[in-house]
Amino acid sequence: EENTKIDIDASNDDESKLSFANFSSMTKDGVVYLRSQPWGAFVFLKFCAALIYGASDILNVSFSEQGVNNALDMEGSSQRLGIIFAFVGIGCFLGPILAEPWSHMDNVSSLERSCLISFFFMALGCYGMSQFDHFIWICISTSVRSAGSSVVWIYSSLLLQKLSSTSMLGRVVAVDYALAMLSESVSALLGGVLQDDARMTAAQVSLLMAIVASATLVIWGMYFSRVRNDRHE
């Protein structure tokens, strides 16, 4: 029995090492493949979007506890938080529906355009969250922001599915989601740190998010323009 247990443990160790080796090899192949493609940077679309919306859950809690004249108001905060998340869902639902008539799978430029416009709506929504004091306008701005993040999430995935080879699509999507999750967690962490340690208000953090969204809008606009020119050459 002891020898059998040792053999099983050794077999499990070998399988673990082999699985990790396969994982490392496949990840490396995916990164090399992306670097060789002119559209490889598209895996950073979700990364950039998550950097903007990642702190939203933290901010939603702060906005739900915000009363008249930005005073702390805990009474009914749970209900207000639920309403804010409901508006997030409304935005996520409506965004892709409104973008669909102007986006087509056989037209890569239309998908790129939808992603670009989504950053504008994220910037607009975040700016609204930073400027309005009335709860309902904060909810509407949140919905605008979430509509943009929903569109870029969906259409960035469509771009990768459209442009990636079938054999590499799984590895490309794995890198895409890994970057998005990393960015979202960093954004959420920074959102909390800025409020607790830097003493920034939820509105000030929202304004910072709007600035980041505007910067990514400009950067991706320039990149899409370059990729489009290379495509037509």
Side-chain angles (χ1 to χ4, degrees):
E1 289 182 7
E2 222 172 279
N3 291 335
T4 302
K5 185 177 179 182
I6 292 173
D7 290 340
I8 291 174
D9 290 340
S11 177
N12 289 337
D13 288 342
D14 291 340
E15 288 180 4
S16 298
K17 291 177 181 178
L18 182 61
S19 297
F20 180 76
N22 288 337
F23 170 77
S24 301
S25 176
M26 292 176 71
T27 302
K28 181 180 178 181
D29 290 343
V31 172
V32 170
Y33 174 72
L34 286 168
R35 291 182 62 183
S36 68
Q37 302 300 316
W39 49 265
F42 285 0
V43 291
F44 288 101
L45 279 165
K46 286 189 187 71
F47 177 91
C48 292
L51 199 60
I52 301 162
Y53 70 72
S56 296
D57 289 347
I58 309 300
L59 296 179
N60 289 342
V61 175
S62 298
F63 281 124
S64 71
E65 297 172 350
Q66 183 175 292
V68 180
N69 296 324
N70 295 327
L72 184 65
D73 181 13
M74 297 299 294
E75 185 177 351
S77 61
S78 296
Q79 183 180 17
R80 288 193 294 271
L81 181 60
I83 293 172
I84 291 175
F85 276 114
F87 272 87
V88 171
I90 291 172
C92 289
F93 175 73
L94 291 178
I97 292 177
L98 296 175
E100 195 274 336
W102 290 276
S103 307
H104 307 281
M105 276 296 290
D106 58 349
N107 186 346
V108 173
S109 294
S110 70
L111 301 178
E112 294 171 348
R113 185 167 55 249
S114 294
C115 290
L116 192 62
I117 294 174
S118 71
F119 283 105
F120 169 77
F121 279 102
M122 279 190 280
L124 181 64
C126 290
Y127 182 74
M129 291 161 60
S130 72
Q131 297 300 307
F132 294 119
D133 292 329
H134 200 285
F135 179 70
I136 188 60
W137 284 109
I138 291 175
C139 290
I140 293 173
S141 298
T142 297
S143 194
V144 172
R145 192 272 312 156
S146 66
S149 59
S150 177
V151 169
V152 72
W153 185 275
I154 292 172
Y155 285 97
S156 63
S157 295
L158 292 178
L159 278 170
L160 295 179
Q161 292 176 31
K162 175 77 174 177
L163 298 171
S164 297
S165 65
T166 305
S167 61
M168 297 299 295
L169 180 58
R171 302 174 200 189
V172 169
V173 171
V175 173
D176 182 43
Y177 283 131
L179 289 172
M181 294 301 103
L182 172 64
S183 178
E184 184 174 0
S185 60
V186 169
S187 178
L189 174 63
L190 290 177
V193 169
L194 289 174
Q195 289 186 86
D196 290 343
D197 296 339
R199 300 301 177 187
M200 293 178 69
T201 65
Q204 290 172 331
V205 177
S206 297
L207 181 59
L208 181 60
M209 290 166 59
I211 294 172
V212 173
S214 299
T216 54
L217 172 64
V218 173
I219 292 171
W220 280 111
M222 295 169 61
Y223 182 77
F224 283 142
S225 178
R226 193 187 77 180
V227 170
R228 195 176 299 114
N229 290 337
D230 292 343
R231 192 182 299 138
H232 292 317
E233 285 180 359

